[in-house]
Amino acid sequence: MAHAPMTEFLKQIATGISAIGVPVKFNLPGPEVPEPFVVIGPHFDSDNNAKVGRAITTTELQFDLFYPISADVAEFEDKVTQIKNAIQPVKSISVSTSEDDTLGRTVRRALYQVTKIIQ
């Protein structure tokens, strides 16, 4: 059974990130789950082409890397870059990093905004 193009893109992202040893979640896990992990977040699609043939859609996907605060900053930045490489090919990637306490403890967090043209 063929999947929707967005489903295939999500599978590509999850497979690429998992291949470098970072678990991928589709919901924020409970506080008992240790970092590192990635949480796939929302996406926005824009179908801005003529409706002839297969639709070409520009998709913007957000996901977050949660990383232990105890890890060296260089290790965290290396992982940020490894994830960028693992999810290729995409049109563009923007990443912002911060410290975050969403999990009930302070962690390093990288928020990725990924744009891809899919059809």
Side-chain angles (χ1 to χ4, degrees), residues 33-56:
V33 177
E35 305 81 35
F37 56 83
V38 164
V39 177
I40 303 288
H43 67 89
F44 170 79
D45 295 341
S46 176
D47 182 4
N48 50 7
N49 69 319
K51 306 298 183 236
V52 178
R54 288 187 72 178
I56 297 174

Side-chain angles (χ1 to χ4, degrees), residues 13-83:
I13 296 288
T15 300
I17 295 170
S18 295
I20 61 169
V22 178
V24 176
K25 314 288 184 190
F26 286 88
N27 294 300
L28 189 63
E32 70 283 356
V33 177
E35 305 81 35
F37 56 83
V38 164
V39 177
I40 303 288
H43 67 89
F44 170 79
D45 295 341
S46 176
D47 182 4
N48 50 7
N49 69 319
K51 306 298 183 236
V52 178
R54 288 187 72 178
I56 297 174
T57 302
T58 301
T59 297
E60 295 190 17
L61 173 68
Q62 176 186 311
F63 64 88
D64 299 272
L65 167 65
F66 292 87
Y67 214 78
I69 194 71
S70 60
D72 181 69
V73 173
E75 178 185 328
F76 171 67
E77 292 296 340
D78 287 347
K79 193 60 71 177
V80 168
T81 299
Q82 289 171 8
I83 289 174

Side-chain angles (χ1 to χ4, degrees), residues 87-103:
I87 65 171
Q88 294 299 329
V90 296
K91 181 179 177 190
S92 68
I93 303 171
S94 298
V95 181
S96 62
T97 61
S98 63
E99 290 185 5
D100 183 89
D101 64 359
T102 302
L103 302 174

